[in-house]
Structures are given as structure tokens and as C-alpha cells.
Amino acid sequence: MSTGTLLAIIIPIVVVVALAAVAVSLLMRRRHLRQRFGPEYERTVEGSDSRLSAERELRARERRHDSLEIKPLPTVSRDRYTREWSSVQEEFVDRPEDAVHDADRLVTSLMHERGYPTEGFEQQMKDLSVEHGATLEHYRAAHEVETLTTRKQATTEQLRGAMVHYRALFDELLSDGGGRAHPARS
């Protein structure tokens, strides 16, 4: 066989194998992102210009999250937060709006102590989405009601729902979310 014939056979095979490897790599990366971010994956894709730009955004969130020093809580802190949550729940009976504000403050404090930055709600959502994608919608819904309470527009049922939503994220953060703690990378 001539060199030209061999090249005509080998080059297309190499190209097909390379394309297959790229396709498999993209599919595996997409599956990883879907598993890691849960419902937040689809939400990000829907809010983006393209699936590729959404996936780029999610990978950027992973990189930022991996650079954070997320840490588990010491037992004494966990016990303190549990007591504080009980107080917030008791407060709900007489002052539901105050209880929702206090639940928001308590969740933010817990996030901070775990090592999450708390500089703004949107950034909090992005940082939490990496390890807490499954409960992120709870936080989003609770925060929406908390915003309504500042304008005195939330119903008692909405306030009750907000407490349930805050509790879901609170419990996950308190138990370390089933995720892993990361030391800051150099």
C-alpha cells in the first residue's frame, strides 16, 4: 500500500476518534454539572444565551467555590445555631415578620461561619449552588418573602412558607450539606 493510501485511511480514523473523544468529554462534563448543581443547572441554562455559556458559568462557580475555605462547624457552634433556630421558630407565633427577618439573618450568619462570602444575595446564590443546588430554590423562595416583609406585603401563609424554606437550607448548612469541606487552594 502506498503512503498516500495509508494516510487517506489513517487521517479520517484519527479525526473520527478525536471527535468522539471530544463528544464524550463534553457529555461527561455536562453530566457532572447536572449532578453537582441539580435543579440549578437547568435554571442557569434557561437564563443563559446558550448551554455552553451556562456551563462555562457553572464551571466558574465551581472554581470560585473551590477557592473558598468552606469548613464544617464545631459541635459548640452547631448547638448554638440549633438553639437560635428554636428561638426564631418560637418568635414566629407572636411576631412572624420579625421571625422571618431573624431566620434570614441566622442563615446568613451560618453561611458566614461556614466560610461562604455573604456580600450579596446573587453572589450567595451562586456560591451556595455548587454544594447546595438541591435546596437553593428554598433559599430563593424564602428570600423573596423576606423582601415582601420589608414592604409589609407578605401574608401569614407566605411567612410560614418562608420559615419552612429557610429551615431546609439551614438544616443542610448545619449538617455540612452532605458536601465536602475544602481548604483554600494555593
Side-chain angles (χ1 to χ4, degrees), residues 14-75:
V14 169
V15 169
V16 168
V17 169
L19 289 174
V22 167
V24 167
S25 173
L26 287 173
L27 289 173
M28 289 178 66
R29 187 180 313 162
R30 182 168 291 156
R31 190 171 88 198
H32 161 78
L33 290 172
R34 278 191 167 140
Q35 287 175 340
R36 184 147 198 200
F37 286 90
E40 188 64 14
Y41 174 88
E42 291 303 327
R43 182 181 182 86
T44 304
V45 168
E46 288 170 10
S48 185
D49 296 339
S50 71
R51 183 174 299 277
L52 287 177
S53 75
E55 290 176 353
R56 219 177 355 262
E57 159 68 20
L58 294 172
R59 285 192 306 275
R61 290 182 194 185
E62 281 184 315
R63 284 189 300 276
R64 175 180 160 89
H65 183 273
D66 289 348
S67 73
L68 300 175
E69 196 170 332
I70 307 300
K71 54 194 172 291
L73 289 175
T75 302

Side-chain angles (χ1 to χ4, degrees), residues 7-185:
L7 287 176
I9 293 171
I10 293 174
I11 291 175
I13 291 172
V14 169
V15 169
V16 168
V17 169
L19 289 174
V22 167
V24 167
S25 173
L26 287 173
L27 289 173
M28 289 178 66
R29 187 180 313 162
R30 182 168 291 156
R31 190 171 88 198
H32 161 78
L33 290 172
R34 278 191 167 140
Q35 287 175 340
R36 184 147 198 200
F37 286 90
E40 188 64 14
Y41 174 88
E42 291 303 327
R43 182 181 182 86
T44 304
V45 168
E46 288 170 10
S48 185
D49 296 339
S50 71
R51 183 174 299 277
L52 287 177
S53 75
E55 290 176 353
R56 219 177 355 262
E57 159 68 20
L58 294 172
R59 285 192 306 275
R61 290 182 194 185
E62 281 184 315
R63 284 189 300 276
R64 175 180 160 89
H65 183 273
D66 289 348
S67 73
L68 300 175
E69 196 170 332
I70 307 300
K71 54 194 172 291
L73 289 175
T75 302
V76 69
S77 293
R78 188 177 316 228
D79 293 344
R80 177 176 46 85
Y81 278 107
T82 300
R83 285 190 306 275
E84 286 183 46
W85 182 263
S86 293
S87 295
V88 169
Q89 283 184 303
E90 290 171 13
E91 176 184 29
F92 185 81
V93 174
D94 295 322
R95 296 184 326 277
E97 288 180 342
D98 292 340
V100 168
H101 289 303
D102 289 342
D104 182 71
R105 177 199 52 77
L106 190 59
V107 166
T108 302
S109 175
L110 177 55
M111 287 171 52
H112 179 73
E113 189 164 340
R114 289 282 319 275
Y116 287 98
T118 55
E119 67 259 12
F121 181 70
E122 287 306 315
Q123 188 60 53
Q124 287 175 357
M125 296 296 289
K126 289 177 181 179
D127 291 338
L128 287 169
S129 71
V130 178
E131 292 289 335
H132 305 282
T135 55
L136 205 55
E137 198 55 42
H138 286 288
Y139 190 40
R140 198 173 269 117
H143 185 75
E144 188 176 307
V145 173
E146 198 271 338
T147 301
L148 288 174
T149 64
T150 60
R151 298 186 305 244
K152 306 288 186 203
Q153 295 176 338
T155 67
T156 302
E157 188 58 27
Q158 287 173 315
L159 295 169
R160 187 197 64 73
M163 292 296 291
V164 170
H165 290 308
Y166 276 126
R167 180 65 190 244
L169 180 60
F170 178 84
D171 285 344
E172 190 167 303
L173 287 168
L174 196 65
S175 68
D176 299 332
R180 61 195 187 284
H182 300 280
R185 294 187 179 163

